[in-house]
């Protein structure tokens, strides 16, 4: 058997690796206490749950019930604490994100090859986490709800174009913003030409802290400033058709706006669903 001295020398020659960074856990240490919630919204006096911001861009206000919001948190947390889970990605080749943790489902965006892959080729080669079925069902339901708004009443007279139906998302991107997190204004251009040409909807699910969501048809740096819409927990936004290449980003997370009954650490959770 090797001597103690030899064992010590072997240990010195092969220093131990630093432990991997701790996975992001969406649950706080303490569960929220039961509270009576009254959520107030400023809807400019209109009793609406769907707002057409422009042709091809729809805001579904409060579309996701509170119990489903918690189910989404729990589902993403289960994946998020694994090796396939959340990781810090400041630049993905498209945009800069500050204090944002990201997780891919269905397909993984390889920042080196600039392609969607079934494996995490630029990280460890392991299979990407599956996109839970619940997100595909929510996507289908939200597109139909948005189309009802696009084709009725005043919007029918505006001759707005309804979203293409029948296509389900092939991938999901979960972004968790710390309370000071931001995302640079950008376009979602990574998907296939066929998907973009068809105007397939990009859908975002908002949970936790409210945010200021900036959007524009024009690239940044021009004379026109982006418009801003406030997105709150439970809201869903969809852009497709003429607005498929909408410029969009997150300017800031608004403090103390997360529903207190949600079991979620401070910040904002967003899930983007796309068709590749």
């Amino acid at each position: 058997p090797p001597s103690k001295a030899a064992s010590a020398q072997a240990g010195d020659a092969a220093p131990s690796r630093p432990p991997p960074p701790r996975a992001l856990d969406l649950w706080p240490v303490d569960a929220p206490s039961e509270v009576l919630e009254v959520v107030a919204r400023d809807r400019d006096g209109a009793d609406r749950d769907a707002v057409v911001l422009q042709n091809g861009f729809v805001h579904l206000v409060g579309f996701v019930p509170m119990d489903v919001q918690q189910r989404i948190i729990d589902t993403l947390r289960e994946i998020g604490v694994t090796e396939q889970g959340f990781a810090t990605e400041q630049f993905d080749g498209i945009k800069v994100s500050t204090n944002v943790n990201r997780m891919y489902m269905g397909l993984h965006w390889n920042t080196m090859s600039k392609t969607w892959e079934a494996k995490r080729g630029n990280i460890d080669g392991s299979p990407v986490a599956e996109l839970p079925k619940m997100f595909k069902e929510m996507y289908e339901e939200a597109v139909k709800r948005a189309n009802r708004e696009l084709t009725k009443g005043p919007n029918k007279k505006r001759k707005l174009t309804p979203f293409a139906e029948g296509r389900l998302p092939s991938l999901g991107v979960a972004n968790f913003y710390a309370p000071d997190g931001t995302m640079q204004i950008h376009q979602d251009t990574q998907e296939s030409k066929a998907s973009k040409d068809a105007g397939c909807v990009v859908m975002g699910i908002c949970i936790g802290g409210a945010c200021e969501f900036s959007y524009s048809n024009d690239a940044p740096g021009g004379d026109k400033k982006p418009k801003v819409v406030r997105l709150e927990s439970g809201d869903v936004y969809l852009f497709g058709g003429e607005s498929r290449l909408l410029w969009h980003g997150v300017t800031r997370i608004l403090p103390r706006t997360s529903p207190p009954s949600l079991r979620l650490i401070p910040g904002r959770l967003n899930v983007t669903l796309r068709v590749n």
Side-chain angles (χ1 to χ4, degrees):
S3 65
K4 291 183 178 180
S7 298
Q9 288 178 353
D12 292 340
S16 60
R17 295 180 179 179
R22 185 178 178 184
L24 175 71
D25 190 340
L26 295 176
W27 284 357
V29 175
D30 299 321
S33 56
E34 292 188 6
V35 293
L36 176 63
E37 283 186 65
V38 178
V39 180
R41 288 182 176 271
D42 180 8
R43 298 190 186 178
D44 298 325
D47 183 19
R48 296 180 296 177
D49 62 357
V51 182
V52 179
L53 297 169
Q54 65 181 49
N55 193 10
F57 185 26
V58 179
H59 176 199
L60 300 182
V61 180
F63 183 77
V64 186
M66 195 64 66
D67 60 330
V68 179
Q69 292 182 48
Q70 188 61 59
R71 182 182 165 202
I72 291 172
I73 295 170
D74 298 346
T75 299
L76 294 179
R77 186 234 177 212
E78 187 174 344
I79 305 171
V81 296
T82 70
E83 292 182 354
Q84 297 170 302
F86 286 100
T88 302
E89 188 175 68
Q90 185 174 2
F91 182 63
D92 62 1
I94 304 293
K95 59 190 175 295
V96 174
S97 303
T98 304
N99 294 329
V100 176
N101 279 266
R102 183 168 295 131
M103 177 173 67
Y104 296 101
M105 298 168 289
L107 292 172
H108 172 81
W109 177 249
N110 187 321
T111 58
M112 305 297 291
S113 64
K114 302 291 191 297
T115 55
W116 289 108
E117 300 177 339
K119 294 185 178 181
R120 309 195 313 166
N122 61 316
I123 299 179
D124 55 12
S126 64
V128 66
E130 292 185 6
L131 179 63
K133 182 181 178 182
M134 66 180 295
F135 291 120
K136 298 179 181 181
E137 294 172 345
M138 289 181 64
Y139 180 95
E140 187 174 34
E141 183 183 351
V143 169
K144 290 179 179 179
R145 174 64 189 90
N147 276 345
R148 290 199 298 271
E149 190 67 24
L150 285 166
T151 55
K152 76 174 186 181
N155 290 325
K156 186 176 182 179
K157 296 179 181 179
R158 293 167 64 188
K159 297 182 179 179
L160 301 179
T161 306
F163 293 131
E165 296 185 20
R167 297 285 300 274
L168 294 179
S170 46
L171 65 102
V173 185
N175 289 304
F176 183 79
Y177 296 74
D180 58 349
T182 61
M183 185 173 291
Q184 182 182 28
I185 194 165
H186 64 283
Q187 294 173 301
D188 289 341
T189 58
Q190 305 103 305
E191 289 67 54
S192 68
K193 184 177 185 300
S195 174
K196 289 180 290 187
D197 288 349
C200 291
V201 169
V202 174
M203 169 175 157
I205 304 169
C206 309
I207 298 177
C211 79
E212 290 182 350
F213 186 87
S214 56
Y215 67 96
S216 176
N217 293 320
D218 302 305
D223 296 333
K224 293 184 179 180
K225 289 186 177 180
K227 297 179 180 179
V228 177
V229 60
R230 174 169 168 151
L231 299 176
E232 300 193 20
S233 195
D235 288 359
V236 161
Y237 61 87
L238 307 98
F239 56 86
E242 290 186 11
S243 297
R244 174 58 184 80
L245 295 180
L246 186 76
W247 289 89
H248 60 285
V250 174
T251 309
R252 70 184 183 113
I253 310 302
L254 303 173
R256 298 179 298 279
T257 53
S258 183
S261 65
L262 285 180
R263 190 178 185 184
L264 178 67
I265 57 176
R268 173 181 183 260
L269 179 62
N270 184 82
V271 186
T272 303
L273 302 173
R274 312 183 201 172
V275 177
N276 190 32

